[in-house]
Amino acid sequence: MATLVSAAAPQQEGEQRPGGEGRTSEAPRVLRVFRATPFTYATLIIVSAILSTPLVFVVSIALASDHTVAANSFTIFPSEFHWENFTRVFGTDLPMGRFLLNSLIISVGSVIGQMVSSGLVGYAFARLRAPGKNALFLIVIATMMIPAQITMIPQFILFKDLGWVNTYLPLIVPNFFSNAFNVFLVRQFVSRLPNQLDEAAMVDGLGFFGIYRRIMLPMLWPVLIAIGIFTLTYNWGDFMGPLIYLNDESKMPLALGVQYITTTGVAGQPPPWNLVMVGSILLTLPMIAVYYLGQRYLYEMDISGGSAGVK
């Protein structure tokens, strides 16, 4: 049952107001507080079960035996529990441990680059005064409409001329130049913070970089950590970038290494789908853990009011 909370005390019809003649008051504003019902919980359970089915199927295949894989007789819910598959995947001819380390190097480097550059650029667009700043910001936002496929070939030619192909640099260095979406997040967050903070710091003799480092940066942690989570999620599972720029197997990340597991099967036999699904779980679990640990910062990232930074 919904609870009704009045936002203002109702006035009697025809009540005399100060400095005016009697007139009918407007209806009081009413706030409805939603309360879940058994039907709500039942709907959420059904939808959650439907959305969780692919993940359960992945776990079922990962725990299947080689005989089940050869017979292609998989079930949605696990009927076998071969936990040794999680250790067997590291015993193949592929360096799975190295794949994990490569993914960590690329992802952490990208996160650092995005957090550093997005904070500085977003703060500059929000606080610094410069001719044409708003027009430049619109141009930056407009780059979000350019498909990545259009710039893929020019970028590859550029990195090839720099000698960066088959290195981690094409996957990490561009993140130190931020991207339009992250700049927009930081700019909106900073623009809602009181200007009096900057003015008081300037009176004390701080410049723009000092204001950012000592005052803004501590308040920007919620949005910067949210940007870090977004960046980590994207780069941890990125397949296209490593496929284009990396040639050596020892430099490939896990997202690309999982695909290589499909080539380790015997000729004429189906790929070891149980080991492929184990690799997929290794790709998924870190992201679930990161989101679980960082969800508080995602909720605090109130870009509409910027209140999270001044709590």
Side-chain angles (χ1 to χ4, degrees):
M1 184 181 207
T3 302
L4 302 182
V5 181
S6 297
Q11 292 181 330
Q12 298 294 331
E13 185 175 355
E15 181 181 351
Q16 194 78 14
R17 295 187 178 182
E21 51 190 77
R23 51 185 173 178
T24 305
S25 62
E26 297 180 356
R29 291 166 48 187
V30 176
L31 174 65
R32 290 183 176 274
V33 180
F34 177 79
R35 290 188 178 180
T37 63
F39 176 77
T40 304
Y41 287 110
T43 303
L44 292 176
I45 290 173
I46 294 174
V47 173
S48 300
I50 294 174
L51 297 179
S52 301
T53 300
L55 183 59
V56 174
F57 194 32
V58 167
V59 175
S60 176
I61 298 176
L63 296 176
S65 63
D66 293 339
H67 176 73
T68 302
V69 172
N72 198 23
S73 57
F74 301 116
T75 58
I76 295 180
F77 296 99
S79 58
E80 302 173 297
F81 298 92
H82 291 271
W83 299 102
E84 66 274 10
N85 291 341
F86 286 86
T87 57
R88 285 179 53 206
V89 72
F90 293 95
T92 62
D93 296 335
L94 298 174
M96 295 299 295
R98 183 65 191 181
F99 291 160
L100 283 170
L101 180 60
N102 294 339
S103 294
L104 189 63
I105 293 173
I106 295 172
S107 300
V108 172
S110 301
V111 167
I112 294 174
Q114 284 290 342
M115 292 178 67
V116 172
S117 59
S118 299
L120 290 172
V121 177
Y123 168 73
F125 273 118
R127 286 293 197 258
L128 272 62
R129 297 178 181 176
K133 182 187 70 173
N134 293 332
L136 181 59
F137 180 71
L138 291 177
I139 294 175
V140 172
I141 295 300
T143 60
M144 296 175 62
M145 297 185 292
I146 301 177
Q149 292 79 3
I150 293 179
T151 59
M152 185 181 297
I153 295 178
Q155 281 184 347
F156 179 82
I157 295 174
L158 174 63
F159 293 140
K160 183 177 182 296
D161 293 340
L162 292 173
W164 288 5
V165 174
N166 202 29
T167 68
Y168 299 135
L169 295 178
L171 304 174
I172 297 177
V173 171
N175 290 283
F176 282 85
F177 296 89
S178 187
N179 63 50
F181 178 72
N182 293 340
V183 169
F184 172 77
L185 287 181
V186 177
R187 179 187 179 273
Q188 293 302 105
F189 193 96
V190 175
S191 63
R192 302 298 182 177
L193 298 178
N195 289 325
Q196 290 81 355
L197 296 173
D198 302 58
E199 296 170 355
M202 289 180 181
V203 172
D204 291 338
L206 289 179
F208 284 110
F209 185 76
I211 294 172
Y212 174 78
R213 183 173 62 87
R214 297 191 179 186
I215 297 177
M216 291 297 169
L217 186 58
M219 294 188 291
L220 283 177
W221 276 117
V223 67
L224 291 181
I225 292 179
I227 289 174
I229 294 174
F230 299 151
T231 305
L232 182 65
T233 303
Y234 173 80
N235 287 276
W236 183 265
D238 184 23
F239 179 84
M240 185 59 66
L243 180 64
I244 294 174
Y245 295 111
L246 299 179
N247 300 323
D248 292 345
E249 187 178 277
S250 60
K251 297 179 181 179
M252 293 177 180
L254 184 61
L256 193 57
V258 169
Q259 190 272 339
Y260 273 73
I261 301 179
T262 61
T263 64
T264 61
V266 181
Q269 297 293 328
W273 292 118
N274 48 359
L275 301 186
V276 173
M277 294 302 109
V278 168
S280 300
I281 292 175
L282 294 178
L283 272 173
T284 305
L285 288 181
M287 294 302 96
I288 295 176
V290 167
Y291 177 79
Y292 177 78
L293 296 175
Q295 60 180 332
R296 176 169 64 92
Y297 298 99
L298 294 176
Y299 297 149
E300 287 182 2
M301 189 187 60
D302 182 9
I303 62 175
S304 62
S307 58
V310 294
K311 288 180 181 177

